[in-house]
Amino acid sequence: MRRCILFAVLLVFSVPVFAETSALEAARTAGGKSTLSESEKYLNVTLKSMTVPAEKRAVYAFLGSLYEQSGDYDKACASYATAAGIAAGDAPGMPKKSSARLVIDAVRCALSEGDYTTADRYLNSAVRDSTDGTIQAYIKLYAQWSLLCRAETVDDTNEAVIILDAYTSLPSMEPVRPTLLLTLWYSTGKQQYAETLKKQYPESLEAAVAEGTVQQLPAPFWYFVPHKGGAEPDIPGGDETAQTPAGTGPAAEKSPPVSAAGTDEKIKKQQLGLFREKRNAEELISRLKEKGFTAYSTSEVRPSGTTYYIVVVDENSDGTIGDQLRSAGFECYPVF
């Protein structure tokens, strides 16, 4: 229902009545758009006319979630950080999120694009003063994810793995324990972590990833950090599995009932690698070409100042190149 901020109409002075779009209405309208780009454009225009801090804060947070779902982690990080910087309460009808939680969301997105410098800056901000135990657990988890992002070889991940393993026995880390176990399983390939995950948290999304009943979205953080083999679940053949991200942040909160924007966006290519060393990108391209794929790399300078080399393969006309790459043993994720 449209919620309008009504100003009293004084007949003597003929003061006009005007309304401002609420965050809830903006979210619902954006969700009804056919593409992500249309939703983004609508929300950015709406933000310019908003004057109520709580409403602006909620829309920036919602915009951040849209960017994150589409894999635009740079914009998602910026949107979450902007929302966190607005001193206001929660807008009516929108998910309740503290500023500290929004900062944690920004950290997660920074790590997802390999920008550990920005992630560390946020982790070392005022968020460290939070008295929320869950926030503190995520600060510790993401600090180790930052170390994993820096890793060039499997040996470089040893320190983070040791710390993450120690965290699994701490009661204070219980809010993120499923994510800890998934990270350890993925990083080390040791089945013991997957078994513990499935036994102790059978209903969790992380357990579903380990079982192979849910296919984890191949976000850069998970697939481009050096890891040992053996952490690949057996996806049931012939079954359609949900493309859902796991272990990416605090427990999911319900958003306003909106349709998924961007479902009509066309996949342009599949990304297979994100490297700080050009030679690593070239090695992957060579392996892809040996398998018959036409791969190439592009370079990109991230906000941290680091140049990344991105290995991609163009999508084919029938949209099956992703399946072909995975069947050939290559991990990839779509670029729209």
Side-chain angles (χ1 to χ4, degrees):
M1 181 180 293
R2 175 181 290 268
R3 185 180 69 83
C4 298
I5 301 175
L6 300 178
F7 289 80
V9 180
L10 302 179
L11 296 178
V12 175
F13 300 102
S14 299
V15 178
V17 177
F18 67 92
E20 177 175 302
T21 304
S22 72
L24 179 58
E25 181 183 8
R28 284 176 171 166
T29 302
K33 301 294 183 180
S34 60
T35 66
L36 176 65
S37 59
E38 290 179 0
S39 298
E40 176 187 359
K41 182 178 179 180
Y42 168 76
L43 289 174
N44 280 314
V45 170
T46 302
L47 279 167
K48 292 179 181 179
S49 63
M50 281 187 158
T51 59
V52 179
E55 303 288 353
K56 292 185 69 172
R57 180 179 185 273
V59 171
Y60 271 116
F62 182 74
L63 187 58
S65 69
L66 288 184
Y67 283 136
E68 184 175 6
Q69 290 170 29
S70 69
D72 197 337
Y73 300 111
D74 187 24
K75 288 183 179 179
C77 178
S79 295
Y80 284 137
T82 299
I86 298 176
D90 297 306
M94 296 295 285
K96 298 183 182 298
K97 275 198 173 185
S98 67
S99 292
R101 193 135 182 173
L102 288 166
V103 171
I104 290 299
D105 290 339
V107 170
R108 178 178 65 253
C109 291
L111 291 173
S112 289
E113 67 162 351
D115 186 3
Y116 51 79
T117 300
T118 296
D120 287 349
R121 177 160 55 85
Y122 287 148
L123 286 173
N124 291 317
S125 67
V127 71
R128 285 198 174 274
D129 298 328
S130 174
T131 58
D132 186 322
T134 298
I135 295 297
Q136 288 299 327
Y138 274 102
I139 289 173
K140 292 182 175 66
L141 170 66
Y142 288 166
Q144 299 313 308
W145 276 19
S146 181
L147 285 180
L148 290 175
C149 275
R150 288 173 165 78
E152 293 288 350
T153 66
V154 171
D155 287 342
D156 294 337
T157 68
N158 290 339
E159 179 183 349
V161 166
I162 291 172
I163 294 174
L164 289 169
D165 184 68
Y167 281 165
T168 60
S169 63
L170 297 180
S172 62
M173 297 298 285
E174 181 59 30
V176 298
R177 195 160 183 266
T179 308
L180 285 172
L181 291 168
L182 183 65
T183 304
L184 286 165
W185 172 63
Y186 183 81
S187 299
T188 67
K190 294 181 179 179
Q191 196 62 24
Q192 67 191 60
Y193 295 117
E195 294 305 317
T196 300
L197 182 57
K198 290 184 285 186
K199 180 179 180 180
Q200 297 184 4
Y201 305 94
E203 302 302 319
S204 69
L205 188 57
E206 289 84 356
V209 172
E211 290 172 343
T213 56
V214 170
Q215 185 176 344
Q216 181 186 358
L217 270 179
F221 173 80
W222 290 104
Y223 285 168
F224 304 148
V225 169
H227 62 282
K228 295 180 180 177
E232 295 300 327
D234 293 325
I235 305 296
D239 293 338
E240 292 187 2
T241 52
Q243 296 282 333
T244 309
T248 54
E253 296 174 327
K254 287 188 176 180
S255 298
V258 297
S259 61
T263 53
D264 293 333
E265 293 287 317
K266 185 177 181 181
I267 298 176
K268 295 181 178 179
K269 60 190 70 175
Q270 295 286 339
Q271 182 171 327
L272 297 98
L274 182 71
F275 302 97
R276 287 186 285 274
E277 295 293 333
K278 188 174 182 178
R279 66 175 183 277
N280 293 334
E282 292 172 343
E283 289 175 1
L284 176 56
I285 290 173
S286 294
R287 288 194 287 119
L288 284 161
K289 288 183 176 180
E290 289 175 0
K291 295 289 185 177
F293 296 102
T294 304
Y296 60 96
S297 69
T298 61
S299 62
E300 180 179 326
V301 179
R302 294 298 172 87
S304 61
T306 303
T307 297
Y308 284 90
Y309 298 92
I310 305 166
V311 177
V312 296
V313 173
D314 290 332
E315 185 58 78
N316 55 18
S317 59
D318 55 3
T320 61
I321 199 68
D323 290 337
Q324 292 178 31
L325 287 165
R326 295 185 187 95
S327 296
F330 296 101
E331 296 160 339
C332 60
Y333 76 97
V335 177
F336 295 90

